[in-house]
Amino acid sequence: MLRLTVRRYISYMAVAGLASVALSMGTAVAQRSAASRTDPISGRWDAALEVPSGPVAFGLDLNRRGSVVRGHILNGPERMALSTSSFDGTTVVLRLDEYDGRITAKFEDAAKTKLVGQYQRQTRSGIGTYRFVATRAARPVAKPAFAAAVDASMEISGDWIITIRDPKSSSEEVSDATFTVKPSQATPGAGEVTGTIIPVSGDYGLLAGMIRRDPSSGGAVLRMSRFDGIHVVKIEGRVETDGSLSGTLSSGLSFEATWKATRKERTAAGEPKPGDPYSLTRVKDPSAVFSFSLPDSRGGTVSLADERFRGKVVLIDIMGTWCPNCHDSAPLLADLHRRYRSKGLEVVMLAYEYTPDAARNARQIDIFRKKYGIEFPILMAGTTADGEIARTLPQLEGFGAYPTTIFVGRDGRVRRIHAGFSGPATGERHTHVKREFESLVRELLDAKP
């Protein structure tokens, strides 16, 4: 995991008076550092949420000032800011307001090196609860100048085609995946792995972990995980003798599956391929003008027939504030709206939330709006219950991903529909989809009605 150190320097001056001042400053810094070591909250923590197959590991970096706690969730090099949190001397509460979740924990030991509690958040079926455990991270030891190279049998960097099989339903999902391995400075011969799985519905976010040699079998074993407030994912696997990968995947409190992966360049021509994001969802009648009429968070109603949309290019984003991929796509949509609205672009988000609680949904939408500086409407379209999309947007068929972005031309007809979104964890795919969205917007704005 990423280790952060703050270096402070004292310049010794030739003038005795300045040297004395510098020495006093150094003493004050040392005193503050000693105080931070005695703070029971501030610092790095190795944390985990418990799922049936075992712990899902992640990191915490916390900083307390009085009763206020600020910090980040760490998944490898990725840092995700916590909402303003608290410590009352007994209980620490770490908040993730954007996902309506919170970690509540207390110290289990007198030395205050272990926190035990729970993580809770709103889900579609009620309040989801995970057991939470965190222990103080060991202080980083001096690292060698150069890490030992990763053995060739553990070099899994590159693009893969992964098939995930749910044994309960016997269903299979074929997706892209990408991994990057770097030599571990902490464990010679092992590799630090980051990457993600990329279904057509959107990626898993940045997964992080290790690949190392298994002493019992001599083969290479892989462990990766992620917690971001919504995803609670753990991947375990091994490198097979033919160079393929296989293992198990756990997600949330109940989902467990098996998986196999083959390097993309070795995939045979007739084998199943990942779906096309532009083919998953369609309109039943492409020649019909697209329409909806849905409530906003202020009690009004917004329709695609309203004057503000007439003769405009409109991006309609089907999303939910609970959806990490929707958070990934929001900065792009906000940026496109700011840069192209003067040329005739409008954007509207249709929020489908976990509950029918209007007050709660309005609160979550407001948090989402402020975080990304959104200046276009976010409508309270419905819930994530089965049948809601068909009820509120009956012209669509084949819906299967949050977000789903509908590109509507100046004539009110649907031109393209893109399912899912490839976020920053996908690397070049993220760059590509941003360019693709902008290219489509420019094309529609330039087209004659």
Side-chain angles (χ1 to χ4, degrees), residues 47-273:
L49 298 183
E50 295 287 345
V51 299
S53 63
V56 175
F58 60 99
L60 287 170
D61 188 4
L62 304 179
N63 181 30
R64 181 173 73 96
R65 291 290 184 271
S67 63
V68 176
V69 178
R70 302 185 187 279
H72 294 81
I73 293 172
L74 311 177
N75 290 285
E78 181 189 272
R79 296 172 61 85
M80 174 184 172
L82 294 162
S83 307
T84 301
S85 302
S86 64
F87 177 61
D88 63 5
T90 302
T91 304
V92 60
V93 179
L94 306 178
R95 302 169 61 93
L96 287 136
D97 290 344
E98 63 200 83
Y99 293 132
D100 201 8
R102 67 176 60 192
I103 294 170
T104 306
K106 296 182 178 181
F107 288 106
E108 187 182 65
D109 59 332
K112 296 186 177 180
T113 60
K114 185 176 182 180
L115 286 164
V116 176
Q118 60 185 14
Y119 173 64
Q120 291 186 309
R121 72 170 180 89
Q122 181 71 53
T123 71
R124 175 177 173 176
S125 57
I127 302 297
T129 303
Y130 298 82
R131 184 172 184 267
F132 165 84
V133 177
T135 57
R136 274 212 175 269
R139 292 184 185 177
V141 297
K143 296 179 180 179
F146 299 98
V150 176
D151 186 272
S153 65
M154 293 186 281
E155 181 49 82
I156 64 170
S157 297
D159 294 334
W160 298 75
I161 301 296
I162 184 169
T163 301
I164 300 172
R165 184 177 187 275
D166 179 0
K168 293 180 180 179
S169 64
S170 298
S171 63
E172 291 188 345
E173 180 179 72
V174 180
S175 304
D176 286 302
T178 185
F179 303 113
T180 300
V181 180
K182 294 182 179 180
S184 171
Q185 292 183 318
T187 308
E192 297 177 0
V193 186
T194 55
T196 191
I197 298 172
I198 316 167
V200 68
S201 57
D203 65 278
Y204 282 41
L206 188 69
L207 299 158
M210 298 285 289
I211 187 167
R212 65 186 79 197
R213 192 162 301 287
D214 180 11
S216 60
S217 67
V221 293
L222 168 71
R223 289 183 177 86
M224 304 177 75
S225 59
R226 177 176 181 80
F227 167 63
D228 59 16
I230 297 294
H231 292 112
V232 183
V233 180
K234 180 177 68 170
I235 294 175
E236 296 181 329
R238 62 185 178 274
V239 181
E240 304 290 357
T241 55
D242 63 357
S244 65
L245 306 175
S246 67
T248 59
L249 181 150
S250 302
S251 179
L253 290 168
S254 60
F255 182 78
E256 294 187 12
T258 59
W259 62 272
K260 293 183 178 181
T262 305
R263 285 196 178 275
K264 197 165 188 176
E265 63 270 21
R266 296 181 186 174
T267 306
E271 293 183 11
K273 297 293 192 297

Side-chain angles (χ1 to χ4, degrees), residues 349-365:
M349 285 181 167
L350 311 184
Y352 291 82
E353 297 297 301
Y354 281 140
T355 79
D357 184 339
R360 175 199 172 273
N361 296 344
R363 182 182 72 245
Q364 294 305 118
I365 288 172

Side-chain angles (χ1 to χ4, degrees), residues 283 286 288-290 396 406-409 411-417:
V283 283
V289 171
F290 196 72
L396 296 183
I406 304 171
F407 294 77
V408 178
D411 60 0
R413 292 171 174 81
V414 172
R415 299 306 189 204
R416 301 293 294 274
I417 300 179

Side-chain angles (χ1 to χ4, degrees), residues 1-5 44-46 74 76 137-141 143 186:
M1 291 186 178
L2 185 65
R3 304 286 183 184
L4 298 180
T5 58
R44 289 287 301 275
W45 295 82
D46 293 328
L74 311 177
R139 292 184 185 177
V141 297
K143 296 179 180 179

Side-chain angles (χ1 to χ4, degrees), residues 363-384:
R363 182 182 72 245
Q364 294 305 118
I365 288 172
D366 191 52
I367 292 170
F368 188 93
R369 184 193 304 278
K370 289 177 180 177
K371 179 174 182 178
Y372 300 110
I374 289 172
E375 299 172 349
F376 47 77
I378 305 178
L379 307 184
M380 301 172 71
T383 71
T384 56

